[in-house]
Amino acid sequence: MKSCLTIDLGLIGYAEAYTLQKRAVAARKAGLVGDLLLLCEHPHVITQGRNGKREHLLVSDQVLRSKGVEYFETSRGGDVTYHGPGQLVGYPILNLGEVRRDVVWYVRSLEEVMIRATAEFGIAAGREPGKTGVWIQTASGAEEKLASIGVHISRWVTSHGFAYNVSTDLLYFDLIVPCGIADCRPTSLEKLLDRSVALAEATPRIARHLGEVFGLEMREAPREALMELLSQAERVAIPA
């Protein structure tokens, strides 16, 4: 069984995490590192995918600054979304060429990871036809979105990934049209369980189920190990 390093980056700025992703993708494409799963949470930030529409940001730049929210245009798929404290963000850096060259299958597999993890909390999550992500059907029959997915694949190496609402402040989603879906209502584990939920409750479940779904042996490693791996890879790729 192939192994995959899981690195918990903790709270990290979006720009810094994006730079780490690009370094990891370059090393993975070159075959200088194995598969990686970067897990983190971000300070308040709104990101727009390559197919997103700026009008789905509902407030001005001035309002964003007043609320301490950054804004980035990215290379991932999907539209506009929000990341912030209490949300588990996952960036799998996987070589699908060694697994299965199928983008739709990959996205459905990420959904399956979060559906299985959510079931461990006693919550039935599922898919919504025609919409990416993980959804919850409320008692009234309405659909609420628990997790979003937006990926980028280059030479079959993946980047970007998923955002799983654990204890996220859902009011920040009012700043946008989430994922470009006008009637999209976000939810979180904390809201669904009606209790405080620490990110640490969700992180190991997500990592374990990702390993099961993709047939990977998940091995935890500290951030320092990732930095050393990337530095070694860059020394090989760009010798002094």
Side-chain angles (χ1 to χ4, degrees):
M1 179 181 288
K2 288 175 55 185
S3 65
C4 177
L5 289 185
T6 301
I7 296 95
D8 189 344
L9 299 173
L11 182 66
I12 182 174
Y14 186 82
E16 184 181 356
Y18 191 28
T19 297
L20 274 178
Q21 274 194 84
K22 289 189 287 187
R23 293 176 65 193
V25 166
R28 190 68 187 93
K29 284 180 178 178
L32 298 173
V33 299
D35 288 333
L36 303 167
L37 173 62
L38 311 182
L39 295 170
C40 65
E41 60 180 326
H42 292 309
H44 302 296
V45 62
I46 289 170
T47 65
Q48 178 180 315
R50 59 183 180 271
N51 302 318
K53 297 180 179 179
R54 181 72 183 212
E55 56 263 35
H56 290 155
L57 174 64
L58 301 179
V59 297
S60 66
D61 291 343
Q62 182 178 358
V63 171
L64 290 183
R65 285 194 297 271
S66 72
K67 292 182 175 294
V69 180
E70 292 188 291
Y71 184 89
F72 288 93
E73 294 184 1
T74 77
S75 61
R76 64 164 172 79
D79 206 292
V80 174
T81 195
Y82 161 79
H83 302 306
Q87 183 188 71
L88 179 60
V89 177
Y91 298 124
I93 314 295
L94 312 177
N95 187 345
L96 294 185
E98 299 176 357
V99 185
R100 179 171 171 176
R101 300 187 180 202
D102 186 327
V103 177
V104 174
W105 170 83
Y106 175 61
V107 172
R108 297 290 90 82
S109 295
L110 291 181
E111 291 170 344
E112 182 64 24
V113 169
M114 292 182 283
I115 288 169
R116 293 186 187 185
T118 305
E120 291 197 21
F121 289 94
I123 300 168
R127 298 175 177 86
E128 179 74 1
K131 298 176 182 177
T132 300
V134 175
W135 300 78
I136 305 293
Q137 188 169 47
T138 66
S140 65
E143 296 286 344
E144 295 184 342
K145 194 169 190 178
L146 179 62
S148 299
I149 294 173
V151 304
H152 181 72
I153 298 173
S154 173
R155 286 166 41 195
W156 292 108
V157 173
T158 67
S159 59
H160 297 284
F162 58 84
Y164 185 64
N165 293 331
V166 179
S167 58
T168 319
D169 185 343
L170 302 177
L171 289 177
Y172 281 87
F173 285 98
D174 292 343
L175 303 175
I176 60 174
V177 179
C179 304
I181 304 171
D183 60 348
C184 179
R185 297 195 299 177
T187 191
S188 67
L189 288 179
E190 192 165 89
K191 178 183 174 184
L192 293 165
L193 294 171
D194 194 27
R195 67 169 176 85
S196 296
V197 184
L199 219 62
E201 292 185 60
T203 300
R205 290 175 165 92
I206 290 289
R208 175 163 45 82
H209 286 296
L210 188 137
E212 292 172 357
V213 169
F214 288 96
L216 298 168
E217 178 188 3
M218 307 303 289
R219 297 193 292 116
E220 293 184 17
R223 178 173 175 164
E224 293 73 21
L226 171 67
M227 304 308 292
E228 180 59 28
L229 279 174
L230 295 181
S231 294
Q232 289 177 0
E234 288 157 358
R235 286 195 293 269
V236 171
I238 311 173

